[in-house]
Amino acid sequence: MNQQSLSAFLWSVADLLRGDYRQSDYGKVILPFTVLRRIDCVLSPSKEAVLEELKLRKAQGLPVEQFLRRKAGQSFFNASPFDLKKLIGDQDNIAANLRAYILGFSPEVRDIFDKFEFDTQIDRLAKAGLLYQVVEKFTQIDMHPDRVTNHQMGLVFEELIRRFAELSNETAGEHFTPREVIRLMVNLIFVEDDAALSKPGVVRTIYDPTAGTGGMLSVAEEYLVNMNPGASVSLYGQELNPESYAICKADMLIKGQDVGNITFGNTLSDDGHMGEQFDYMLSNPPFGVEWKKVEKAVRAEHDQKGHGGRFGPGLPRVSDGSLLFLMHLLSKMRPAKQGGSRFGIVLNGSPLFTGGAGSGESEIRRYVLESDLVEAIVALPTDMFYNTGIATYVWILTNRKPAARKGKVQLIDGSGFWQKMRKSLGSKRREMGEGDIETITKLFGAFTEAELARIIDDSGKEIGTEVVMPGQTPPVAPEGGKVKLAPLSRILPNAAFGYSSITVERPLKDEDGNVVLGQRGKAKGKPQPDSSLRDTENVPLAEDIDAYFAREVLPHAADAWIDPDKTKVGYEIPFNRHFYVFEPPRPLAEIDADLAGFTARIQEMLKGLTA
């Protein structure tokens, strides 16, 4: 069964609900029943054996859980005599029997249905006379992993959540990340380790603190297992949204993962993996979302634990908590001497430059750059996410940089690598193709500067692009056309992003134009600053401050001086500035000729009106 036909079938359940349920509530029924049918099908082949084992072990007076798990061939089981097909054999008692069936599951599965608030839906469906019809509908489809792969199942859940989110005006992007963005991130965190990951007996852990429905964890696991079928991969995550958590946990359960590794709650205020560290990590935290609800807990950890906690480098403004997740991931890195870690995180543009020297954001950037943790930042195309069209960036951080990367950051402008979707999905109008992902992955893996050649024909239309690596000859334009070169990959020293923010003072003068001098203490006899003339200058770290001041300030204000007590070091990453290409204006004669032509046409039109 393909993903489209399964999605269509599941969506058809909405026809039963129409009238008794609002459209925005369809997901409260369809999502948990989809999970239930999936688990029902997984356990079906071993159902009778499990019931026989239950009878035997009870007669022996033994604890039954481990025996039943072994018989089920899974990390979960159901000890009830019911399954969904048996439930429809007793229409009059469908609600009571369905509850008994749910209670027959092992605790980790019951937790999933608790998070769905499934009991509430059983009541509501029973009162509306719909419960039997819905259960009967779901028995018509086989969702065993032999028929529907885990990958297909993940895509189906994402499709359902997206459609339900659209109906209820919620943001689907809070629940999952587009698969091609995940594939790119997974490629980037693994590409330098391909040789090590291919060795027999490899054991790795992967963590996502904003797990959603588990898409990032699933794609990362698929990558490793496809590369090395013998690899042992343990997945860890935490999720705040109850429905997303339930789906993620169900997905991990069926894959044979330890679902105790998937925790529920707010990662920032209640770390579900306290003290744990991981080999690889991925995260797409919410963009531009305030953290006021958890401010008390976060500030307490920052103030009381400092660098011994998660938020030692600094705190961003309360209106955007993205950088809190970045620091959380830093705290989960294994020490370099134990193999280190690498992680990818998707952020909007704000963390690159928001906040001046001394601000929380600048101090966090300062920490990761001076600690040499930033490996690369990749600009993604706009209109890539379901809930926003803004510019986004993938940051890759590691504490085990290869020798060639030490002290440097690679910036890659991937904003032009996209293709238009046939149909928009919310704010998502563009997608990255396999070729686009491969190009960016190669640029990162090669760790080299590169340019993008845009080939323009004689009409001014772009007819193609080509990546130009160092030493490579750019393509030749067709007759009458031209080739425009723009930076695509840039490699810069960490210090290139730092600056000293100096405070420039000018003397205060009295009504007669005389400089006002201090009368007491350290200020006695010294010119007093005029706060209305005070200014700041940002001096690149690579430059000598005095030389900069003499060149840039003194020629314009000979009486100015620097207040050294107010000098601060700041960091920002002005991504676009490093990829800016100056476009010279057209020749004046050409512009004059165009204006003359427009004027002549307007005069002709006016003559026609007055004729």
Side-chain angles (χ1 to χ4, degrees):
M1 175 172 291
N2 62 37
Q3 173 201 340
Q4 287 77 16
S5 59
L6 177 56
S7 294
F9 174 85
L10 295 172
W11 188 250
S12 72
V13 177
D15 293 334
L16 295 174
L17 305 177
R18 194 167 285 113
D20 293 282
Y21 274 75
R22 291 176 301 178
Q23 286 188 333
S24 57
D25 288 342
Y26 289 171
K28 293 177 181 178
V29 174
I30 295 175
L31 288 173
F33 266 102
T34 302
V35 169
L36 180 59
R37 182 54 177 158
R38 174 73 163 177
I39 292 172
D40 189 66
C41 291
V42 168
L43 294 179
S44 177
S46 61
K47 183 70 177 178
E48 293 306 318
V50 166
L51 294 177
E52 286 295 323
E53 187 75 3
L54 175 65
K55 186 177 176 183
L56 171 66
R57 300 304 174 185
K58 273 192 171 182
Q60 294 173 344
L62 294 172
V64 299
E65 279 204 8
Q66 290 309 314
F67 291 107
L68 299 189
R69 291 180 203 275
R70 194 176 305 134
K71 273 293 176 188
Q74 305 290 338
S75 61
F76 58 99
F77 62 86
N78 186 287
S80 158
F82 294 110
D83 58 23
L84 285 188
K85 287 191 174 177
K86 286 178 182 171
L87 287 174
I88 60 174
D90 186 359
Q91 184 171 352
D92 293 339
N93 296 299
I94 186 79
N97 292 343
L98 178 54
R99 284 193 173 92
Y101 179 42
I102 297 296
L103 288 172
F105 280 112
S106 46
E108 57 276 3
V109 179
R110 293 201 303 273
D111 179 52
I112 291 170
F113 291 100
D114 284 345
K115 291 298 186 295
F116 275 128
E117 296 183 345
F118 192 50
D119 199 64
T120 301
Q121 298 311 316
I122 293 175
D123 263 344
R124 187 172 173 184
L125 288 166
K127 287 174 183 174
L130 293 172
L131 185 58
Y132 178 84
Q133 294 177 62
V134 170
V135 173
E136 196 273 335
K137 181 82 171 176
F138 273 92
T139 62
Q140 295 173 13
I141 190 160
D142 185 356
M143 292 169 62
H144 190 276
D146 290 345
R147 297 289 309 278
V148 183
T149 67
N150 288 327
H151 177 73
Q152 287 176 317
M153 204 68 234
L155 294 176
V156 166
F157 277 126
E158 290 180 6
E159 166 72 6
L160 290 173
I161 287 174
R162 183 188 61 75
R163 293 178 75 169
F164 295 141
E166 286 176 357
L167 289 173
S168 58
N169 293 317
E170 292 178 5
T171 50
E174 289 180 2
H175 304 274
F176 58 91
T177 308
R179 286 285 165 133
E180 75 270 25
V181 174
I182 301 175
R183 284 200 300 274
L184 173 64
M185 293 174 70
V186 167
N187 282 7
L188 295 178
I189 67 168
F190 289 145
V191 67
E192 290 184 313
D193 298 345
D194 280 357
L197 294 172
S198 300
K199 293 178 181 176
V202 164
V203 178
R204 291 293 184 270
T205 55
I206 305 171
Y207 170 63
D208 182 352
T210 53
T213 57
M216 284 191 169
L217 294 173
S218 295
V219 174
E221 181 190 33
E222 287 167 15
Y223 181 105
L224 279 184
V225 172
N226 285 340
M227 178 199 296
N228 183 353
S232 175
V233 184
S234 295
L235 305 179
Y236 296 76
Q238 184 162 351
E239 175 53 33
L240 176 61
N241 178 279
E243 285 185 352
S244 297
Y245 164 79
I247 291 170
C248 179
K249 190 169 180 178
D251 189 34
M252 296 299 139
L253 196 71
I254 291 160
K255 286 177 176 164
Q257 288 288 330
D258 179 356
V259 293
N261 297 339
I262 308 299
T263 59
F264 179 72
N266 191 308
T267 303
L268 299 179
S269 59
D270 184 20
D271 181 5
H273 298 281
M274 184 77 74
E276 295 183 67
Q277 295 168 329
F278 307 97
D279 299 304
Y280 297 98
M281 295 173 275
L282 295 154
S283 179
N284 174 21
F287 301 143
V289 174
E290 68 172 28
W291 48 282
K292 201 165 189 63
K293 287 182 182 177
V294 296
E295 183 176 3
K296 185 177 178 181
V298 170
R299 288 197 183 278
E301 183 170 341
H302 170 73
D303 295 340
Q304 295 166 17
K305 296 185 177 180
H307 284 275
R310 295 175 293 168
F311 310 119
L315 296 178
R317 63 199 63 195
V318 176
S319 58
D320 187 353
S322 301
L323 285 172
L324 293 176
F325 288 97
L326 184 144
M327 289 188 290
H328 171 79
L329 290 171
L330 292 176
S331 75
K332 299 297 183 186
M333 296 178 99
R334 293 194 193 284
K337 61 185 178 185
Q338 294 178 18
S341 303
R342 179 178 286 110
F343 70 80
I345 183 170
V346 185
L347 300 172
N348 62 10
S350 176
L352 292 169
F353 53 79
T354 298
S359 68
E361 291 89 349
S362 178
E363 287 299 290
I364 295 165
R365 291 190 292 267
R366 179 178 183 175
Y367 177 81
V368 295
L369 287 162
E370 290 187 351
S371 302
D372 199 19
L373 295 170
V374 183
E375 201 163 21
I377 300 175
V378 180
L380 298 177
T382 55
D383 301 318
M384 284 285 289
F385 288 81
Y386 301 99
N387 57 332
T388 181
I390 63 173
T392 52
Y393 302 81
V394 174
W395 293 47
I396 304 296
L397 289 88
T398 185
N399 58 355
R400 51 181 174 87
K401 280 188 178 183
R405 288 188 181 267
K406 289 189 183 297
K408 299 170 185 173
V409 175
Q410 183 178 14
L411 303 180
I412 299 174
D413 183 8
S415 61
F417 291 88
W418 56 273
Q419 54 201 34
K420 191 173 181 180
M421 295 177 65
R422 285 181 296 176
K423 181 186 176 186
S424 296
L425 299 174
S427 296
K428 183 173 173 58
R429 299 176 181 86
R430 296 172 174 177
E431 61 187 357
M432 300 180 83
E434 289 299 326
D436 300 323
I437 295 171
E438 185 179 347
T439 298
I440 294 172
T441 304
K442 283 182 177 177
L443 284 169
F444 174 78
F447 188 56
T448 182
E449 296 207 331
E451 294 180 300
L452 184 67
R454 298 186 183 279
I455 306 164
I456 314 295
D457 67 14
D458 57 357
S459 69
K461 181 183 177 183
E462 184 179 303
I463 57 173
T465 60
E466 187 176 311
V467 176
V468 182
M469 304 296 274
Q472 191 176 339
T473 305
V476 178
E479 188 175 345
K482 57 186 175 182
V483 172
K484 291 183 177 180
L485 291 172
L488 181 58
S489 170
R490 299 212 57 196
I491 296 170
L492 300 162
N494 293 338
F497 305 106
Y499 62 89
S500 296
S501 179
I502 60 171
T503 299
V504 178
E505 301 285 15
R506 300 280 301 279
L508 179 67
K509 295 181 180 180
D510 61 22
E511 293 178 359
D512 297 325
N514 298 316
V515 174
V516 177
L517 301 176
Q519 298 300 310
R520 57 174 64 92
K522 289 182 180 179
K524 189 173 183 179
K526 295 179 181 178
Q528 294 304 289
D530 184 343
S531 61
S532 66
L533 297 176
R534 184 173 292 145
D535 200 1
T536 57
E537 292 273 337
N538 289 342
V539 183
L541 284 184
E543 282 208 48
D544 179 78
I545 291 176
D546 292 332
Y548 176 94
F549 185 72
R551 184 182 73 246
E552 300 292 338
V553 179
L554 289 180
H556 310 287
D559 57 358
W561 72 91
I562 299 171
D563 183 344
D565 293 335
K566 293 177 181 172
T567 298
K568 296 178 181 177
V569 172
Y571 278 82
E572 65 176 8
I573 304 171
F575 197 98
N576 293 336
R577 189 192 306 164
H578 291 293
F579 291 91
Y580 173 73
V581 178
F582 174 69
E583 288 273 358
R586 292 188 300 155
L588 194 56
E590 195 177 303
I591 296 171
D592 285 343
D594 281 350
L595 287 173
F598 292 140
T599 303
R601 284 200 292 275
I602 291 169
Q603 287 175 341
E604 286 298 318
M605 290 168 66
L606 291 172
K607 284 179 185 177
L609 289 172
T610 56

